[in-house]
């Protein structure tokens, strides 16, 4: 049987890390065995619907290379692939389920349900529907329907026994039926709830493997009871433990945790983000940490998915992004860095020199502007920066160094790295000191900072001859 997986997000905002991981695992499972990966938009929760969110879903999948075989934008044999366009379908199946005895009409109004909930809260018992409409006679139901009384359709959960199912990650799970609620399947406006629509759609779209978060483990018995009531084959389940920001708190877009789009805007490379997300709760079975999408497809196995929650380690992501950045060619790096260069530097500079300084020092591109904030304007700095224990410098010997550096820089006609380097090392030799005794004061005078992308020679190349000389003179004045 051909494997068919689906990614079924709700268009409620940006692509959250957990959602992208679900999409990735569904894609990898399907493609590892030559199966199909389907995109379905579950937009039945209209209150949370966000305009433009569907386009963000398309973009995230396209950018990360998770190409779906069927979906709203490309069609397929099992459409429509947007739940709101399948509304009439759900009503037909809900009514069929009533006829099969797996569901029933509920005419309880809001006032009664609110009062029921209040009594249960006061009694400190779990809040669930009390089955008031479960045993209405056919005549009573017909009378209410004929009179136009608003209704919902609820699932009729068995009052006794237990429901057991197998999850590919967590194994066999058994739930007593009397702990399950008679949840609403079809709302009064004719729209289905998630609990109902996803079962109908998964069956009609021939989904063989359902991959989703472990928060759906408690709901799965209800899904299986629906499959059984219809006489349908139950798909295989793969539930994934949550992605946590720490030991107590889950990552959540509702609490402002970063989305895929946020990471891209912060200067992370999409391939690095996807690689890191893949390793949140999954292992390829060896020590590899850097994997292309094709390598993930080849290595993927459900056996590699962990039951334990995955902690999102931003430092690990930064390291991995740095590894990907260093794999870029200088030309690729410059292209990716250009928006950040232009944000940080307004004066005319050689961007290739910036790339030489930053390529091996950058973990994410959004770090670049802060590293270049001295280029347009020299910051106001204190002379204590000239004191460096390792370089054996202090304000006094730094003043001497700058006074000797000035005529050397003024005498350079060919302002390039090799010439500047040669002339300054000749000065070091003449002064009979270590390199740092000359190059550290130069770095401070040119940047006004203790940490810079590159040393004094690189900074001089970036600033150009005129500005470099002006800043050395300013350093001399500050130290005198």
């Amino acid at each position: 049987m051909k494997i068919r997986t689906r990614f079924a997000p709700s268009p409620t905002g940006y692509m959250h890390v957990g959602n992208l991981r679900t999409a990735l695992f569904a894609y990898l499972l399907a493609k590892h065995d030559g199966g199909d990966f389907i995109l379905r938009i579950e937009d039945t929760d209209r209150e949370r619907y966000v305009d433009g969110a569907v386009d963000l879903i398309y973009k995230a999948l396209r950018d990360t290379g998770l190409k779906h075989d069927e979906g709203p934008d490309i069609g397929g044999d099992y459409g429509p692939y947007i739940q709101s366009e399948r509304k009439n379908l759900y009503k037909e199946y809900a009514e069929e389920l009533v006829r099969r005895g797996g569901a029933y009409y509920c005419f309880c109004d809001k006032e009664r349900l609110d009062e029921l909930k209040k009594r249960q809260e006061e009694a400190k018992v779990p809040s669930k529907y009390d089955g008031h409409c479960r045993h209405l006679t056919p005549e009573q139901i017909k009378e209410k329907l004929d009179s136009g009384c608003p209704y919902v359709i609820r699932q009729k959960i068995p009052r006794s026994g237990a429901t057991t199912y197998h999850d590919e990650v967590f194994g066999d799970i058994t739930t007593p039926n009397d702990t399950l609620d008679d949840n609403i399947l079809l709302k009064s406006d004719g729209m289905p709830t998630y609990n109902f629509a996803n079962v109908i759609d998964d069956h009609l779209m021939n989904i063989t493997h359902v991959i989703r978060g472990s928060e759906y483990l408690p709901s799965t018995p209800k899904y299986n009871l629906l499959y059984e009531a219809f006489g349908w084959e139950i798909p295989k389940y793969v539930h994934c433990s949550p992605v946590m920001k720490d030991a107590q708190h889950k990552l959540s877009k509702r609490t402002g945790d970063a989305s895929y789009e946020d990471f891209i805007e912060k200067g992370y490379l999409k391939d690095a983000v996807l690689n890191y997300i893949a390793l949140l709760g999954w292992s390829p079975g060896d020590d590899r940490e850097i994997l292309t999408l094709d390598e993930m497809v080849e290595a993927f196995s459900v056996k590699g998915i962990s039951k334990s929650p995955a902690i999102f380690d931003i430092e690990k992501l930064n390291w991995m992004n740095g590894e990907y950045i260093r794999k870029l060619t200088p030309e690729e790096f410059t292209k990716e860095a250009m928006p950040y260069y232009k944000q940080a530097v307004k004066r005319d500079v050689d961007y290739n020199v910036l790339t030489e300084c930053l390529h091996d020092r950058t973990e994410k591109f959004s770090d670049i502007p802060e590293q270049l904030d001295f280029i347009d304007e020299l910051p106001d700095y204190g002379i204590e920066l000239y004191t460096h224990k390792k370089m054996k410098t202090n304000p006094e010997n730094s003043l001497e160094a700058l006074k000797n550096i000035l005529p050397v820089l003024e005498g350079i006609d060919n302002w390039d790295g090799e010439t500047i380097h040669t002339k300054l090392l000749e000065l070091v030799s003449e002064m009979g000191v270590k390199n740092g005794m000359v190059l550290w004061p130069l770095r401070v005078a040119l940047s006004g900072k203790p940490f810079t992308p590159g040393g004094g020679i690189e900074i001089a190349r970036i600033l150009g001859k005129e500005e470099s000389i002006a800043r050395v003179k300013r350093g001399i004045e500050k130290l005198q």
Side-chain angles (χ1 to χ4, degrees):
M1 178 176 62
K2 188 175 187 179
I3 288 180
R4 286 174 60 83
T5 66
R6 48 75 165 174
F7 175 51
S10 298
T12 56
Y14 290 112
M15 178 77 81
H16 186 250
V17 166
N19 284 347
L20 183 56
R21 186 186 67 164
T22 298
L24 175 59
F25 285 3
Y27 175 88
L28 296 177
L29 177 58
K31 296 307 170 184
H32 179 78
D33 287 309
D36 293 330
F37 171 60
I38 291 88
L39 172 64
R40 186 173 74 225
I41 303 299
E42 299 195 339
D43 61 343
T44 56
D45 188 351
R46 303 307 294 180
E47 292 183 359
R48 296 180 60 215
Y49 181 88
V50 174
D51 287 336
V54 173
D55 291 332
L56 290 174
I57 293 169
Y58 292 150
K59 184 177 187 304
L61 295 180
R62 182 174 61 251
D63 288 352
T64 53
L66 305 184
K67 183 179 179 182
H68 47 285
D69 300 287
E70 302 168 25
D73 53 336
I74 59 177
D77 295 334
Y78 300 91
Y81 293 89
I82 297 179
Q83 283 188 338
S84 60
E85 297 177 6
R86 301 165 66 87
K87 179 178 177 180
N88 293 335
L89 189 69
Y90 304 123
K91 185 176 182 181
E92 293 174 7
Y93 278 97
E95 291 173 343
E96 180 183 340
L97 194 62
V98 171
R99 292 191 292 271
R100 288 173 171 265
Y104 60 94
Y105 292 98
C106 175
F107 301 94
C108 293
D109 56 26
K110 184 177 184 299
E111 289 71 24
R112 182 184 184 280
L113 295 175
D114 288 344
E115 178 61 27
L116 173 64
K117 183 177 181 180
K118 180 181 178 182
R119 292 200 310 268
Q120 291 172 334
E121 289 176 347
E122 291 173 349
K124 296 182 179 180
V125 297
S127 179
K128 51 189 291 194
Y129 183 63
D130 61 357
H132 179 74
C133 293
R134 274 178 74 115
H135 306 296
L136 293 177
T137 66
E139 292 75 21
Q140 290 172 317
I141 294 172
K142 184 176 186 305
E143 180 182 349
K144 289 182 178 293
L145 291 176
D146 289 345
S147 66
C149 183
Y151 68 88
V152 298
I153 293 180
R154 290 182 180 272
Q155 184 175 6
K156 185 180 283 188
I157 301 289
R159 293 301 199 196
S160 61
T163 299
T164 298
Y165 69 94
H166 179 78
D167 180 78
E168 299 297 311
V169 175
F170 290 88
D172 291 336
I173 297 175
T174 299
T175 303
N177 290 332
D178 61 7
T179 65
L180 303 176
D181 194 5
D182 286 1
N183 288 123
I184 294 172
L185 303 179
L186 196 74
K187 294 180 280 191
S188 57
D189 61 1
M191 290 296 286
T193 58
Y194 171 85
N195 288 332
F196 186 56
N198 84 88
V199 168
I200 302 301
D201 290 339
D202 285 344
H203 170 72
L204 295 180
M205 294 181 182
N206 288 338
I207 301 303
T208 62
H209 293 69
V210 172
I211 299 181
R212 58 186 171 216
S214 59
E215 66 269 23
Y216 291 106
L217 281 168
S219 303
T220 302
K222 293 181 284 190
Y223 306 149
N224 284 6
L225 289 170
L226 289 173
Y227 280 107
E228 291 171 358
F230 280 115
W232 295 340
E233 183 177 355
I234 297 173
K236 289 186 177 181
Y237 293 112
V238 181
H239 286 90
C240 303
S241 292
V243 180
M244 312 285 287
K245 65 167 126 187
D246 55 44
Q248 287 79 36
H249 303 93
K250 292 195 332 183
L251 282 182
S252 170
K253 62 182 177 184
R254 292 188 182 184
T255 57
D257 290 324
S259 66
Y260 165 76
E261 290 81 5
D262 290 330
F263 285 116
I264 299 305
E265 289 180 8
K266 289 177 181 178
Y268 292 89
L269 293 171
K270 55 183 176 56
D271 290 342
V273 173
L274 193 70
N275 188 162
Y276 181 70
I277 287 175
L279 299 179
L280 290 173
W282 172 75
S283 169
D286 51 38
D287 295 332
R288 284 180 297 169
E289 292 189 296
I290 306 298
L291 297 100
T292 66
L293 184 57
D294 287 342
E295 289 170 338
M296 294 179 213
V297 169
E298 182 180 356
F300 191 79
S301 169
V302 172
K303 293 179 181 178
I305 298 177
S306 173
K307 294 181 183 179
S308 302
I311 303 297
F312 193 97
D313 183 350
I314 192 65
E315 294 303 321
K316 182 68 174 288
L317 173 59
N318 289 343
W319 167 82
M320 184 171 287
N321 198 65
E323 292 296 303
Y324 272 85
I325 284 177
R326 283 182 279 280
K327 288 184 177 181
L328 299 176
T329 66
E331 293 75 21
E332 290 170 337
F333 181 93
T334 302
K335 180 180 178 181
E336 295 284 348
M338 189 59 69
Y340 302 93
Y341 286 165
K342 292 187 174 181
Q343 174 187 336
V345 182
K346 306 305 178 187
R347 68 166 62 236
D348 186 23
V349 297
D350 187 338
Y351 293 121
N352 292 326
V353 178
L354 293 182
T355 292
E356 287 178 31
C357 294
L358 290 165
H359 194 171
D360 291 335
R361 297 180 174 92
T362 300
E363 282 195 330
K364 60 183 186 295
F365 289 103
S366 57
D367 293 338
I368 288 176
E370 184 179 1
Q371 297 183 71
L372 303 181
D373 59 1
F374 65 90
I375 293 179
D376 283 350
E377 184 177 353
L378 182 68
D380 186 22
Y381 66 93
I383 63 171
E384 67 275 3
L385 286 185
Y386 285 101
T387 298
H388 194 296
K389 187 175 181 180
K390 184 178 179 181
M391 301 297 179
K392 298 182 179 180
T393 61
N394 55 47
E396 291 73 24
N397 58 28
S398 292
L399 175 60
E400 180 186 359
L402 291 180
K403 285 182 176 180
N404 287 317
I405 289 170
L406 180 60
V408 172
L409 298 183
E410 290 175 331
I412 296 176
D413 295 323
N414 187 22
W415 195 262
D416 61 70
E418 185 176 350
T419 303
I420 298 170
H421 181 267
T422 299
K423 294 297 183 182
L424 287 175
L425 288 192
E426 288 176 357
L427 175 61
V428 166
S429 179
E430 291 172 9
M431 293 178 64
V433 297
K434 299 288 187 180
N435 290 359
M437 295 278 285
V438 169
L439 298 182
W440 180 256
L442 178 62
R443 179 199 290 242
V444 174
L446 295 183
S447 70
K449 298 179 69 173
F451 303 106
T452 55
I457 294 171
E458 289 82 9
I459 297 171
R461 291 177 63 199
I462 294 170
L463 294 175
K465 181 176 180 178
E466 182 179 348
E467 180 66 17
S468 296
I469 290 172
R471 293 191 181 190
V472 169
K473 288 180 178 179
R474 216 173 308 172
I476 293 172
E477 291 172 2
K478 187 180 285 285
L479 289 169
Q480 284 179 331

